[in-house]
Amino acid sequence: MPNSKPIVFLGAYGNIKRFYDFATDCGHTVAGIVDDVEYNPYLKKTSQGIDIIGTPETFFTDPTIKEKYQFFISASFKNPTLMENQTPELGWAREQYINKINELNLDCVTLIAPTAQVANTVVLGKGAYIAGNCVVANYTKVGDFSQIHENSIIGDHCTIGHNTIIQRLVTFIG
């Protein structure tokens, strides 16, 4: 059952539209995106009409955000990709958002697709994402802010570490 507080996506990168559609399809309300819009030319191509409600530098100064919202980190890693080599000032990275969430003790939503098979012995960290057609088997631990993308299989007794992103069609056997 979705929480009554709307979701704020932190960072607007390649998968933002996928996360937005997924959250709304699961019955969540989305307040918008917090991103460093001024320095993120890529965002203009991916926002798909999702409201930008602030930048990290100003949004987190509002003392009422904890009561008003829940959060999901949609930002990518700050790796030396081609895009970032061309635009080194590109937005906040996942680690910066995680630090801010922990510092302010903010609530994070965990998103699990209805078509995912997650065993009842799985331990999910806060802010995790399990996409469609994934299998997460018995006694597996999925760390905080980790993502398992479409059609991946995680076998019994696996540990997916904190802030790990597993891309599509990946299989781990325990």
Side-chain angles (χ1 to χ4, degrees):
M1 185 76 179
N3 187 308
S4 60
K5 294 190 284 186
I7 297 173
V8 172
F9 289 108
L10 301 176
Y13 294 91
N15 284 324
I16 187 62
K17 182 67 168 130
R18 179 186 312 266
F19 294 139
Y20 175 85
D21 289 345
F22 184 81
T24 57
D25 287 350
C26 290
H28 293 279
T29 301
V30 175
I33 304 167
V34 169
D35 193 68
D36 199 350
V37 179
E38 181 179 358
Y39 298 111
N40 192 341
Y42 186 62
L43 173 65
K44 292 181 177 96
K45 297 177 189 171
T46 62
S47 64
Q48 307 280 330
I50 305 167
D51 292 336
I52 306 301
I53 60 173
T55 66
E57 292 78 12
T58 60
F59 183 80
F60 293 115
T61 62
D62 177 355
T64 67
I65 62 171
K66 183 176 172 97
E67 290 75 38
K68 293 195 294 192
Y69 304 112
Q70 58 185 339
F71 297 87
F72 185 82
I73 298 176
S74 46
S76 66
F77 290 104
K78 190 76 167 177
N79 288 333
T81 63
L82 176 63
M83 182 173 53
E84 290 178 5
N85 285 337
Q86 293 172 350
T87 313
E89 67 277 7
L90 182 69
W92 276 33
R94 291 178 64 81
E95 295 84 1
Q96 290 171 283
Y97 286 115
I98 289 169
N99 291 340
K100 190 55 77 172
I101 283 170
N102 290 333
E103 174 190 329
L104 299 175
N105 195 29
L106 301 175
D107 295 327
C108 291
V109 63
T110 294
L111 299 173
I112 302 172
T115 59
Q117 297 177 32
V118 179
N120 64 0
T121 57
V122 169
V123 176
L124 290 174
K126 70 179 178 181
Y129 171 75
I130 312 294
N133 302 319
C134 287
V135 175
V136 184
N138 287 303
Y139 307 106
T140 292
K141 295 178 184 173
V142 179
D144 293 347
F145 312 110
S146 292
Q147 298 176 0
I148 303 172
H149 288 270
E150 290 81 0
N151 302 306
S152 292
I153 301 170
I154 311 300
D156 292 330
H157 301 277
C158 287
T159 299
I160 308 302
H162 166 81
N163 194 25
T164 299
I165 297 177
I166 297 173
Q167 290 299 337
R168 293 151 188 83
L169 300 169
V170 173
T171 300
F172 287 111
I173 304 300

